[in-house]
């Protein structure tokens, strides 16, 4: 099977989740947000919230801020996403818990949830199918886990999804924040979605790509890795004890900081992102699988690729990423590469 076909193969472990997505008709309303991009500025979000703010008195589609803050398990400050949310968040924001809106039966962390789990989360958070969702990260990290939440919405076919670039600038530029617990929202009747499998890679897909590395005629699919360079090379440990570091054969290292402005922690401009990918030798016309530690920061790469105009329509995220990979590959397969 050619690698270009392989990239779109369905995950046989969860066939129902990878059915063709249902098309929904969203209610049309006047929005101030652009229709041709995902990243928006604090000023654009502020204008959208003033134009289409959530209201108990109106059932019209609204702009809903969603906090996707999450921290690594070895975070030196022992921070917790919801605790950070309680300190400062946008008015009427919902907190999306990556560890709970997930496949909790999986041995791997925050794997994509079932359509039913995603639906229930949307109902609990008071989000309608025709609402515009704007996902944001913590002021501490700038851009980190929010792209994963935005990607999850897109995987389940939510029509209007944006990513704030970023909450750090929102705070620094003086836009309003508030503290306290998440509010209580009136439950909605969010329809059961179907997962778009064309956006997701499973273990067997990536394993076959890795096996095909350096074989003549099998160099179509590119694997990009968002982890820090030391973990990619195998010289630094993984944050999860007992897990080998290293990388997949043929993978390209693109650590998250290389895609962000060092001061603002916002995404670089599309032109700057294209330059990063060019320097890494990424072909804009070939399919891409993005990977990381657990499928979170892989979506930082996926979003950057979209902004740079790379791999349009043929971009996937390896959901299990390195945590699944390092536990499932066999030593005899030589699929963990370590390099100086």
């Amino acid at each position: 099977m050619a690698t270009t076909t392989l990239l779109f193969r369905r995950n046989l472990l969860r066939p129902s989740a990878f059915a063709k997505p249902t098309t929904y008709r969203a209610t049309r309303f006047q929005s101030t947000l652009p229709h041709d991009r995902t990243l928006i500025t604090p000023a654009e979000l502020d204008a959208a919230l003033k134009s289409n703010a959530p209201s108990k008195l109106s059932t019209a589609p609204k702009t809903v801020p969603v906090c996707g803050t999450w921290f690594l398990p070895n975070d030196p400050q022992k921070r917790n996403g919801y605790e950070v949310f309680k300190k400062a968040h946008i008015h009427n924001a919902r907190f999306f818990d990556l560890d709970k809106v997930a496949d909790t039966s999986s041995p791997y962390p925050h794997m994509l949830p079932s359509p039913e789990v995603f639906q229930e989360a949307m109902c609990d958070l008071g989000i309608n199918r025709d609402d515009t969702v704007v996902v944001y990260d913590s002021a501490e990290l700038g851009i980190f886990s929010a792209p994963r939440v935005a990607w999850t919405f897109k995987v389940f076919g939510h029509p209007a999804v944006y990513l704030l670039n970023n909450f750090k600038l929102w705070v620094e530029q003086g836009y309003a924040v508030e503290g306290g617990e998440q509010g209580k929202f009136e439950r909605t009747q969010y329809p059961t979605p179907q997962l778009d499998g064309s956006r997701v890679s499973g273990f067997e897909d990536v394993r076959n790509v890795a096996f095909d590395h350096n074989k003549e005629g099998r160099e179509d699919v590119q694997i990009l890795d968002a982890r820090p360079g030391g973990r990619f090379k195998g010289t630094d440990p993984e944050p999860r004890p007992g897990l080998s570091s290293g990388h997949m054969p043929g993978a390209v290292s693109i650590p998250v900081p290389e895609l962000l402005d060092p001061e603002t922690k916002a995404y670089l401009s599309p032109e700057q992102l294209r330059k990063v990918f060019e320097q890494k030798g990424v072909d804009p016309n070939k399919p891409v699988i993005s990977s990381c530690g657990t499928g979170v920061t892989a979506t930082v790469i996926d979003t950057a690729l979209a902004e740079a105009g790379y791999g349009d329509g043929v971009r996937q995220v390896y959901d299990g990423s390195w945590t699944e990979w390092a536990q499932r590959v066999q030593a005899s397969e030589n699929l963990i590469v370590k390099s100086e």
Side-chain angles (χ1 to χ4, degrees):
M1 180 182 293
T3 49
T4 49
T5 302
L6 162 67
L7 191 64
F8 296 97
R9 190 171 54 194
R10 293 178 178 179
N11 186 327
L12 299 181
L13 295 178
R14 295 195 296 167
S16 62
F18 285 79
K20 184 178 179 180
T22 300
T23 300
Y24 294 88
R25 179 179 296 175
T27 302
R28 297 185 65 83
F29 68 100
Q30 187 66 33
S31 174
T32 61
L33 295 178
H35 299 287
D36 58 346
R37 53 189 169 88
T38 297
L39 297 182
I40 63 170
T41 66
E44 288 172 323
L45 175 56
D46 183 61
L49 289 173
K50 290 175 179 175
S51 174
N52 299 100
S55 170
K56 293 181 179 180
L57 301 178
S58 173
T59 59
K62 54 192 180 292
T63 299
V64 181
V66 174
C67 177
T69 298
W70 178 85
F71 295 94
L72 286 168
N74 66 339
D75 180 63
Q77 299 178 42
K78 308 295 184 184
R79 289 170 294 187
N80 170 279
Y82 186 63
E83 292 303 316
V84 169
F85 171 88
K86 289 195 298 182
K87 291 179 181 178
H89 57 264
I90 298 172
H91 180 64
N92 269 324
R94 279 69 162 157
F95 180 74
F96 188 106
D97 192 331
L98 277 173
D99 289 321
K100 292 182 179 178
V101 188
D103 179 1
T104 55
S105 67
S106 173
Y108 314 112
H110 43 252
M111 295 285 280
L112 279 169
S114 68
E116 293 75 19
V117 168
F118 181 82
Q119 175 197 32
E120 183 65 16
M122 295 302 98
C123 294
D124 283 345
L125 293 175
I127 297 174
N128 286 297
R129 180 79 182 188
D130 53 2
D131 289 338
T132 294
V133 169
V134 181
V135 188
Y136 70 93
D137 238 306
S138 68
E140 291 87 342
L141 298 180
I143 293 290
F144 184 65
S145 55
R148 169 72 187 202
V149 175
W151 177 79
T152 300
F153 272 92
K154 291 179 179 180
V155 162
F156 283 107
H158 193 88
V161 184
Y162 292 89
L163 184 65
L164 179 62
N165 194 29
N166 59 23
F167 188 56
K168 182 177 186 293
L169 288 175
W170 174 278
V171 173
E172 291 175 355
Q173 292 172 8
Y175 291 101
V177 297
E178 62 186 26
E181 300 282 348
Q182 178 173 240
K184 299 293 183 181
F185 308 109
E186 184 175 348
R187 277 183 62 87
T188 56
Q189 297 298 315
Y190 198 96
T192 304
Q194 290 182 318
L195 190 150
D196 180 3
S198 69
R199 293 178 176 268
V200 188
S201 277
F203 173 76
E204 292 298 335
D205 296 324
V206 183
R207 184 170 176 267
N208 285 333
V209 171
F211 269 135
D212 286 342
H213 175 61
N214 278 338
K215 291 183 180 178
E216 186 175 355
R218 296 298 183 90
E219 300 174 348
D220 288 334
V221 182
Q222 306 165 102
I223 300 176
L224 309 184
D225 194 318
R227 292 174 301 148
R231 289 164 59 190
F232 180 89
K233 294 177 182 179
T235 56
D236 291 343
E238 289 293 311
R240 288 166 178 79
L243 200 66
S244 172
S245 56
H247 61 269
M248 304 157 195
V252 177
S253 176
I254 306 184
V256 166
E258 296 186 17
L259 303 173
L260 307 179
D261 181 280
E263 297 299 324
T264 66
K265 308 301 180 185
Y267 274 102
L268 298 173
S269 69
E271 294 76 17
Q272 291 171 313
L273 291 172
R274 281 194 289 273
K275 190 172 183 179
V276 171
F277 292 128
E278 287 171 2
Q279 292 173 341
K280 297 287 185 174
V282 181
D283 190 326
N285 300 311
K286 291 183 178 181
V288 174
I289 297 175
S290 297
S291 183
C292 59
T294 60
V296 173
T297 56
T299 61
V300 177
I301 291 181
D302 187 73
T303 302
L305 288 166
E307 287 295 302
Y310 271 61
D312 189 28
V314 283
R315 296 189 311 273
Q316 293 190 333
V317 170
Y318 176 19
D319 197 14
S321 283
W322 190 257
T323 297
E324 179 184 34
W325 184 264
Q327 292 184 59
R328 291 190 63 179
V329 297
Q330 302 298 314
S332 59
E333 295 175 319
N334 297 316
L335 293 178
I336 293 181
V337 179
K338 295 179 182 288
S339 59
E340 295 298 330

